[in-house]
Amino acid sequence: MSTPNARRPPLPSLTGLRFLAALLVFFFHMTLFDSPIPPNDPVNPFADQGLAEGLEWFFSKAGYLGVSFFFVLSGFVLTWSSVDGEPMRSFWRRRVLKIFPNHVVVFLAAMALFAGTTTPVSDWLANLFLLHSFSPDPTVYVNVNPPAWTLCSELLFYLLFPLIIRPVRRIADNRLWFWAAVMVAGMVAVQVVNLTLIPDTPKSPITPVSTTQFWFGYIFPLPRLFEFVLGMILARAVIRNRVPRIGLLPAALSVPVGYAAALALPFAFGFVVATIIPVALVILAWATADVENRPTVLRGRTAVWLGEISFGFYLCQGVVIFYGRTLLPTGPFDTPTAVAVTAALFIATLLAGWFLFTCVERPVMRRWARPRRTPVRVPAAEPVKETT
């Protein structure tokens, strides 16, 4: 068993999986009929109505699955890499530097390109400081750069992690799975409350639930803590060698099963509940494969590189897809052209993500993520007196 401060092996497969999750979000955004930015023009480029509607339906839960994966993985990775006794200030310093520089760069780009003329000062200030998803107003929580709403949840996770990790570390080994089940039950309870106690009017123009139900069940940061803490508990289970052997193939096959359930169940249960078990199985299976140094297709150099730029790839989608789509000729297009448009926007998003990682995220983390060590001054040696 690992000791609390043991140096744990890297988990390259989980890094590779990050890009697949970001790719799910890309296809979710790319197949939307209504852009979240004014004037809310269609994004989906396909003229074939049946194909366009089919793609929107098929990818309608992909974004929810990708975001849930990110939240669980965040709790897992932070716990995996945590060290007993690390000062809160050092932890918060690294995490703030991880998200805010990228966020600010994309925020400024969005404001300059399209959001500055349509977003009131009070709304964009909340976005800048990553407080906007605490508002149930849809004009606030998706303003400026729509994907940035998830950073509000991540910031909350980071602020609370040094406090939550202490009781999580004290969970007895034989109680880890009990508390994991409690987190899943909490996710179910959130949606039960959402559908029974949260007002079901006014109806959302793009979902079957009300705008307030969509916010409470999906956008509001506090309920998303269940996923984050579940990830922390899963990491503890791997650290303490309390995970049964999970094959990579069965874990992978559980994803389409959960996804089919998300499409079939009442809408709100597709946010998190339907796919949370597959998300947990995938993270556990690939993490244990990395710990045991078993080969996986996601630990290669290309997969890891894609995982490293996945944060930027995700964050740039609001600018590249929603704004970039407005720069293209008025569509929709025939199928070959629509496929080319999708490919072009994918490449543009990938390049933008690479730019953020290379020119913003990595330099900032290397320069400021850890406090600079003060050089130790060595007193000058006393001159040696000659003796006779």
Side-chain angles (χ1 to χ4, degrees):
M1 293 184 180
S2 301
T3 60
N5 289 315
R7 183 176 179 82
R8 300 181 185 114
L11 303 173
S13 295
L14 294 189
T15 302
L17 280 168
R18 286 172 54 88
F19 182 75
L20 296 183
L23 189 62
L24 288 174
V25 179
F26 173 86
F27 284 116
F28 171 79
H29 288 152
M30 194 67 226
T31 54
L32 290 173
F33 276 111
D34 299 304
S35 169
I37 67 171
N40 307 110
D41 291 331
V43 178
N44 194 312
F46 290 87
D48 184 325
Q49 191 70 14
L51 179 58
E53 291 177 354
L55 288 171
E56 186 188 42
W57 171 81
F58 182 77
F59 289 109
S60 63
K61 308 297 181 183
Y64 306 152
L65 172 59
V67 168
S68 187
F69 177 86
F70 283 133
F71 287 168
V72 178
L73 184 65
S74 183
F76 187 100
V77 171
L78 289 181
T79 304
W80 184 260
S81 60
S82 65
V83 177
D84 274 350
E86 180 184 21
M88 289 186 186
R89 184 185 300 177
S90 298
F91 174 81
W92 286 330
R93 175 195 183 104
R94 291 200 315 276
R95 303 325 299 176
V96 167
L97 288 172
K98 178 73 173 177
I99 61 173
F100 261 99
N102 278 351
H103 163 61
V104 170
V105 168
V106 182
F107 172 91
L108 293 174
M111 288 292 289
L113 292 171
F114 58 87
T117 59
T118 61
T119 311
V121 174
S122 59
D123 291 352
W124 67 250
L125 275 176
N127 187 298
L128 177 62
F129 292 103
L130 296 180
L131 299 172
H132 56 297
S133 73
F134 286 91
S135 168
D137 184 347
T139 63
V140 175
Y141 63 67
V142 294
N143 68 14
V144 187
N145 180 36
W149 73 265
T150 61
L151 300 188
C152 301
S153 295
E154 290 286 356
L155 183 61
L156 177 67
F157 301 161
Y158 298 159
L159 291 174
L160 295 180
F161 177 80
L163 305 177
I164 300 174
I165 189 62
R166 296 173 183 175
V168 168
R169 283 180 178 148
R170 289 197 293 267
I171 297 175
D173 291 357
N174 62 356
R175 302 288 285 174
L176 287 168
W177 292 112
F178 167 79
W179 284 105
V182 169
M183 294 304 107
V184 175
M187 298 172 210
V188 176
V190 166
Q191 300 308 332
V192 171
V193 170
N194 192 25
L195 295 177
T196 57
L197 300 180
I198 303 300
D200 59 2
T201 57
K203 289 295 184 183
S204 165
I206 58 174
T207 70
V209 296
S210 72
T211 54
T212 309
Q213 286 174 321
F214 183 75
W215 168 78
F216 182 83
Y218 185 61
I219 301 291
F220 188 30
L222 287 178
R224 306 311 294 253
L225 278 166
F226 285 113
E227 292 151 273
F228 179 71
V229 177
L230 174 63
M232 297 175 67
I233 295 170
L234 296 180
R236 284 272 295 133
V238 176
I239 291 169
R240 304 300 295 173
N241 197 25
R242 288 283 172 162
V243 179
R245 183 90 172 181
I246 303 171
L248 297 179
L249 181 59
L253 292 177
S254 73
V255 176
V257 173
Y259 195 82
L263 291 170
L265 288 171
F267 183 79
F269 289 97
F271 293 147
V272 177
V273 174
T275 54
I276 193 61
I277 299 302
V279 165
L281 290 176
V282 165
I283 289 175
L284 289 173
W286 265 265
T288 52
D290 281 347
V291 169
E292 297 169 2
N293 203 28
R294 286 185 277 131
T296 75
V297 295
L298 292 171
R299 61 185 302 167
R301 181 177 299 178
T302 300
V304 170
W305 177 78
L306 288 170
E308 289 175 340
I309 69 169
S310 61
F311 178 40
F313 176 81
Y314 167 81
L315 202 56
C316 289
Q317 290 181 23
V319 172
V320 178
I321 298 176
F322 301 138
Y323 175 71
R325 179 71 179 83
T326 67
L327 303 180
L328 298 173
T330 303
F333 310 98
D334 59 74
T335 300
T337 304
V339 170
V341 167
T342 302
L345 289 175
F346 169 77
I347 292 171
T349 309
L350 195 68
L351 291 174
W354 168 80
F355 171 83
L356 271 186
F357 175 72
T358 303
C359 299
V360 180
E361 180 180 335
R362 187 167 58 184
V364 166
M365 294 299 290
R366 286 178 173 175
R367 174 65 178 82
W368 289 293
R370 296 187 183 278
R372 303 180 72 177
R373 293 182 179 179
T374 303
V376 178
R377 287 184 170 274
V378 179
E382 292 287 343
V384 178
K385 295 181 179 179
E386 293 185 0
T387 58
T388 56

